[in-house]
Amino acid sequence: MNLQHLSDVQRRAVTTVDGPVLVLAGAGSGKTSVLTNRVAYLINEMNVSPYNILAITFTNKAANEMKERIAALVDYDISRMAVSTFHSMCARFLRHDAELLGYMNNFTIYDSDDSTALIKKIMGEYDHGLGNLTPRNVKNLISTVKNSGGHADPESVIKEISEHFSEELVRIYRAYNDALKHENAMDFDDLLLNMVRVLQENREAREYYTDRFQYILVDEYQDTNSVQYELVRILAEKHKNLFVVGDDDQSIYAWRGADVRNIFNFEKDFENAQVIKLEQNYRSHQQILDAANAVIRMADFRKEKNPWSARKDGPKPKRYTAYNEYAEGEYIAREIAALVRQGRQYKDMAVLYRTHTQARVLEEKMRMYGVPYRVYGGLSFYARKEIKDIVAYLTLLENPLADTAFLRIVNTPKRGIGAATLTKLAEFAALQGLSLLEAAENADAFMKGGRSKFAPILDVMHDLAKQAEGMTVGEIVELVFERTGYHAMLILEDEPTTEAKIENVQELINSAHVYDKQAEEPSLEEYLSTVSLITDMDTMDEEGGVTLMTLHGSKGLEYDTVFMAGMEENLFPSRRSVEEGKLDEERRLCYVGMTRAKELLYLTSSNTRNTYGGGAAPNSPSRFLRDIPPQAIEDLSAGSGKRTVQYTEQPVKPRVNFFKAKAEFTPKAKENVGQFRVGGTVSHGKFGKGTILAIDGQGDQRVARIAFADSERKLFLSFAPLTILD
């Protein structure tokens, strides 16, 4: 087998087939090539059957790609070779072995939503004292217990990891697992735990699996948790040919249960283990690595290694400090545009940030400068549901004729207005030439008690209009978030994304407060126009645009040019990480971001940043920037204070209250119903000029049949928007 395309150390990793081997694979060091070539080497050169090889990775996509690459390197059928994720592997094995644990082999696998629903049901049966813990909180706590290997003694683990410990919580934990067993179901964590139990408790099963898997390979070993570690340890105990690939410097998923100690302790846990370091980086040039290495070397705990590149020449990473996040976003957008003019391509650039909320300002500036982009791993800020919902409320507040906005929020939060009722409303509105909001105000005309059915949304809108008098735009957005019940709705949803959704709306509120300061004559109408322009998707480019993503989302990817935005204390590293003693993981996250760049790396920050409820707060540069020696970075921000934009307070423009009274949008004709006559000429705001053909009914229930230029309609004279012409 020809391995000449590999470096000496890569070939050593491929051909060292006996015993435990830890490959410390630095960023961009070609670990995937090593893994696939090693499997091919075992099959082609060592005559190992694919059936006796187990290869584990962390995503189904990576597993499929690995299998395809192996198939291209060997002339054997590898369809029976086990290449999969931990969870897929355990699910497949348990279809044969679940009966050993008292399950039927046709057990159901509960996803996160199924598990949360079951926990909610169980919590409802307990008179518990869990404070503000929600079913989703309890579900995450249970998952942490299981992933830590603490299933046998949950009480001790819960005491250690939760400030909300109570005997009730332990009882709910046990009741949840009893319910799963009763329903012949396993959650995702159970797949791993139960497979470990099979191996621990059944000698025959243990012998079968340890006999079968003569060679075991594990990718991304730094991301394994305690249960995954135990699973691998047992499977490898007979043949001891365990080959793991990972990099402690890229361990960034502790919040998902990953335990970087699995790499640190490998040599202690597996006797006679060999360690091979893949230190040559084939992605970045040396100038980028010098800066990245300076950051990661400051970690308190890491295995010593020195990533290097054969490409010694290249531009130093660039540092830029702006006055605030808007100036920072503008600098990034303008720099990208300039790079494109020099011949670089949008698709080869990425802007990385610590939190999703940073994306809003960056998106605004990208659009302002005509830079096409795509948001990786999430929606564009203004395309997110929670943002569109709040904007819809604002739109209806400003313009009661906005039917699309009305339909979006009429039942958000839930107000018990059914689809059939909305259909009748739409039909009545179309017939009468009214907006949906106008029709809802007059719903008694087509439905008994109709006005009361729409009272929940009508009362909310009238209350908002009354309260918004004299408020700034920022205050109005805050008012909408709270008074509509939207904030409470998000909290009660108790989804994994709840916190992010709330943060997104808070960022929208920030944007409105900043708008109040920037605009010459701030008004809700103008602000909504600005948002409408921002949400125009013309500048979005799913294929050829700049990639915007979080630092966590960037792992495993690479770009010609990388911008890392928000390099400030309390943002990156985050305040919480520092307070909880998790600085090393933040440092590794910074290292991951920096080593995504192949040619150009920009590290940007701002002196002030707007925070929810706190206005513009001063920020100091991230300690990660201070770790980089001055000679290893080019500072472009020296003397830039003269170029910053200063914001001044602007007077608040009085608002027009469209909801002051129902008469505000009810036609004046109502007061002069008696003046309408058969043969008379009228004008309608939507249908134009028409002639009254007939009038039926009495008082407010009088209905006129009117011939317009292109239609004939029956309209209520009491509130149809009619003007008498003759």
Side-chain angles (χ1 to χ4, degrees):
M1 183 175 173
N2 188 352
L3 300 176
Q4 293 306 307
H5 61 289
L6 301 177
S7 69
D8 290 343
V9 70
Q10 287 176 328
R11 283 196 296 274
R12 181 185 164 209
V14 167
T15 58
T16 304
V17 295
D18 295 325
V21 179
L22 166 62
V23 175
L24 292 173
S29 61
K31 71 179 180 67
T32 303
S33 182
V34 167
L35 278 164
T36 53
N37 277 278
R38 180 182 174 86
V39 174
Y41 183 83
L42 289 170
I43 296 171
N44 292 337
E45 302 296 327
M46 304 298 294
N47 295 316
V48 177
S49 168
Y51 182 73
N52 298 127
I53 299 173
L54 170 63
I56 303 173
T57 187
F58 269 78
T59 67
N60 290 315
K61 179 181 178 183
N64 292 333
E65 290 177 352
M66 183 183 293
K67 205 162 190 175
E68 289 174 3
R69 292 178 66 166
I70 294 170
L73 293 172
V74 301
D75 295 326
Y76 297 86
D77 178 12
I78 64 168
S79 60
R80 296 187 68 196
M81 179 179 166
V83 182
S84 69
T85 65
F86 276 104
H87 290 89
S88 295
M89 174 188 73
C90 291
R92 187 164 65 250
F93 293 166
L94 286 169
R95 289 300 176 195
H96 298 282
D97 300 315
E99 290 180 348
L100 298 175
L101 300 177
Y103 290 85
M104 291 182 286
N105 289 341
N106 65 340
F107 61 87
T108 299
I109 299 175
Y110 275 14
D111 63 17
S112 181
D113 289 341
D114 296 329
S115 298
T116 303
L118 179 57
I119 290 169
K120 183 177 181 180
K121 176 177 177 291
I122 292 169
M123 289 175 68
E125 298 170 357
Y126 280 76
D127 183 21
H128 55 77
L130 301 182
N132 294 323
L133 281 181
T134 64
R136 184 72 61 177
N137 297 145
V138 175
K139 186 265 177 191
N140 292 337
L141 189 65
I142 290 174
S143 181
T144 301
V145 172
K146 292 184 176 183
N147 284 324
S148 69
H151 183 63
D153 184 18
E155 183 171 353
S156 297
V157 179
I158 293 173
K159 280 183 178 178
E160 181 180 343
I161 66 176
S162 176
E163 60 186 30
H164 301 284
F165 174 80
S166 70
E167 295 297 333
E168 286 291 292
L169 191 55
V170 176
R171 281 194 283 272
I172 289 172
Y173 180 94
R174 299 189 189 283
Y176 167 70
N177 288 296
D178 290 344
L180 284 174
K181 186 72 174 289
H182 177 74
E183 296 178 19
N184 191 39
M186 301 183 196
D187 62 22
F188 285 152
D189 302 315
D190 288 331
L191 295 175
L192 306 184
L193 272 174
N194 285 335
M195 191 61 214
V196 169
R197 285 184 58 203
V198 167
L199 296 173
Q200 289 174 336
E201 299 173 11
N202 188 279
R203 179 179 174 183
E204 184 178 349
R206 187 174 184 135
E207 288 182 353
Y208 168 78
Y209 288 110
T210 56
D211 279 343
R212 173 182 170 181
F213 295 122
Q214 300 173 16
Y215 291 89
I216 300 172
L217 302 89
V218 183
D219 193 12
E220 305 288 6
Y221 192 65
Q222 76 280 350
D223 293 335
T224 54
N225 61 35
S226 298
V227 179
Q228 291 162 340
Y229 163 81
E230 182 64 12
L231 187 61
V232 169
R233 187 194 65 78
I234 294 174
L235 291 174
E237 68 182 5
K238 183 169 186 177
H239 297 286
K240 304 188 187 308
N241 297 322
L242 174 62
F243 181 87
V244 303
V245 181
D247 182 8
D248 55 297
D249 289 342
Q250 297 185 75
S251 179
I252 59 174
Y253 296 122
W255 50 277
R256 291 198 318 213
D259 191 344
V260 71
R261 292 176 298 181
N262 291 344
I263 272 194
F264 291 152
N265 297 333
F266 187 84
E267 294 160 86
K268 181 177 68 175
D269 295 338
F270 299 96
E271 188 177 355
N272 300 319
Q274 299 185 64
V275 179
I276 300 173
K277 298 180 181 180
L278 301 183
E279 295 178 301
Q280 183 174 358
N281 185 302
Y282 297 92
R283 177 189 302 144
S284 310
H285 58 70
Q286 191 62 47
Q287 301 277 23
I288 291 173
L289 292 182
D290 286 344
N293 290 342
V295 172
I296 198 62
R297 282 196 193 107
M298 299 298 292
D300 290 332
F301 301 99
R302 68 183 291 263
K303 284 188 170 289
E304 186 58 38
K305 61 188 86 70
N306 185 39
W308 61 276
S309 173
R311 297 165 54 212
K312 303 303 180 185
D313 296 327
K316 295 179 180 180
K318 306 177 191 303
R319 173 179 175 177
Y320 182 83
T321 304
Y323 170 71
N324 62 13
E325 69 266 40
Y326 294 89
E328 178 191 31
E330 185 167 331
Y331 168 76
I332 292 173
R334 292 178 65 177
E335 191 70 12
I336 289 172
L339 291 172
V340 170
R341 289 194 296 271
Q342 295 169 14
R344 299 185 186 272
Q345 298 186 45
Y346 291 121
K347 66 181 180 64
D348 295 328
M349 303 185 205
V351 182
L352 311 181
Y353 37 82
R354 182 63 179 84
T355 66
H356 281 292
T357 56
Q358 290 172 257
R360 181 191 63 79
V361 172
L362 294 167
E363 286 189 61
E364 286 185 13
K365 297 305 179 183
M366 295 293 170
R367 295 179 188 278
M368 182 180 295
Y369 285 90
V371 174
Y373 69 89
R374 66 190 185 103
V375 178
Y376 181 91
L379 291 170
S380 168
F381 181 83
Y382 286 99
R384 293 184 171 99
K385 180 182 184 300
E386 60 272 17
I387 301 302
K388 293 174 75 70
D389 288 345
I390 298 298
V391 169
Y393 272 110
L394 296 169
T395 300
L396 191 62
L397 183 61
E398 181 66 25
N399 174 20
L401 304 181
D403 287 351
T404 300
F406 177 88
L407 288 173
R408 184 175 187 92
I409 53 85
V410 63
N411 253 333
T412 306
K414 297 290 186 185
R415 297 187 174 96
I417 303 173
T421 300
L422 287 173
T423 298
K424 292 178 181 178
L425 177 73
E427 291 173 349
F428 177 72
L431 181 66
Q432 300 298 321
L434 302 172
S435 73
L436 293 177
L437 191 63
E438 290 172 328
E441 285 281 10
N442 295 281
D444 287 340
F446 67 91
M447 180 187 299
K448 185 176 181 180
R451 174 60 172 76
S452 64
K453 290 183 181 295
F454 291 101
I457 181 62
L458 293 172
D459 292 348
V460 164
M461 295 309 300
H462 281 291
D463 180 60
L464 287 177
K466 180 179 179 181
Q467 297 293 325
E469 279 292 326
M471 282 187 171
T472 65
V473 176
E475 290 168 343
I476 293 172
V477 182
E478 286 190 77
L479 179 74
V480 166
F481 189 35
E482 298 298 336
R483 293 300 181 89
T484 59
Y486 202 94
H487 192 179
M489 177 194 74
L490 290 181
I491 294 174
L492 290 173
E493 275 183 358
D494 187 29
E495 299 292 337
T497 56
T498 291
E499 185 176 350
K501 289 178 180 179
I502 292 173
E503 288 177 353
N504 287 336
V505 178
Q506 289 172 344
E507 179 60 20
L508 182 71
I509 293 169
N510 287 344
S511 78
H513 283 304
V514 171
Y515 161 80
D516 286 324
K517 296 177 181 178
Q518 290 180 303
E520 292 184 8
E521 293 186 71
S523 69
L524 182 57
E525 179 183 10
E526 184 186 50
Y527 174 72
L528 289 171
S529 296
T530 303
V531 169
S532 296
L533 292 173
I534 292 171
T535 56
D536 181 351
M537 303 304 282
D538 290 343
T539 57
M540 285 291 286
D541 190 327
E542 290 298 321
E543 299 298 330
V546 174
T547 299
L548 273 60
M549 70 170 74
T550 64
L551 284 153
H552 279 99
S554 72
K555 188 172 181 294
L557 303 176
E558 60 181 38
Y559 296 90
D560 175 87
T561 303
V562 169
F563 293 82
M564 288 173 59
M567 298 290 293
E568 303 143 29
E569 285 293 300
N570 299 325
L571 179 58
F572 190 40
S574 71
R575 184 193 302 273
R576 176 182 295 181
S577 296
V578 174
E579 292 175 347
E580 296 179 355
K582 299 176 181 177
L583 182 59
D584 267 9
E585 178 142 341
E586 290 286 286
R587 190 176 295 283
R588 294 194 290 265
L589 186 58
C590 183
Y591 175 78
V592 165
M594 295 174 75
T595 53
R596 299 311 94 194
K598 294 192 288 185
E599 297 293 335
L600 297 175
L601 174 62
Y602 292 80
L603 306 171
T604 68
S605 60
S606 62
N607 288 325
T608 63
R609 187 172 293 271
N610 286 275
T611 59
Y612 175 65
N619 285 328
S620 58
S622 169
R623 67 189 70 194
F624 304 146
L625 289 175
R626 301 196 296 270
D627 292 337
I628 303 173
Q631 65 271 21
I633 195 167
E634 180 183 1
D635 194 343
L636 303 178
S637 51
S640 63
K642 298 178 182 177
R643 300 163 54 192
T644 59
V645 179
Q646 300 290 337
Y647 299 122
T648 58
E649 295 290 340
Q650 298 290 335
V652 178
K653 179 182 177 181
R655 287 180 80 294
V656 176
N657 190 336
F658 289 94
F659 291 87
K660 190 169 290 185
K662 176 178 165 182
E664 185 68 38
F665 53 79
T666 301
K668 296 183 176 62
K670 180 176 180 180
E671 300 176 3
N672 302 292
V673 173
Q675 297 179 13
F676 291 105
R677 61 181 179 80
V678 174
T681 305
V682 294
S683 176
H684 188 282
K686 182 176 181 180
F687 306 133
K689 187 176 180 180
T691 302
I692 297 177
L693 303 180
I695 298 177
D696 298 311
Q698 300 292 324
D700 286 351
Q701 299 302 307
R702 296 180 73 196
V703 176
R705 184 161 57 89
I706 306 174
F708 294 99
D710 55 1
S711 64
E712 183 177 303
R713 293 184 175 267
K714 291 183 178 181
L715 304 178
F716 281 89
L717 294 178
S718 59
F719 51 80
L722 295 170
T723 301
I724 297 172
L725 301 179
D726 178 24

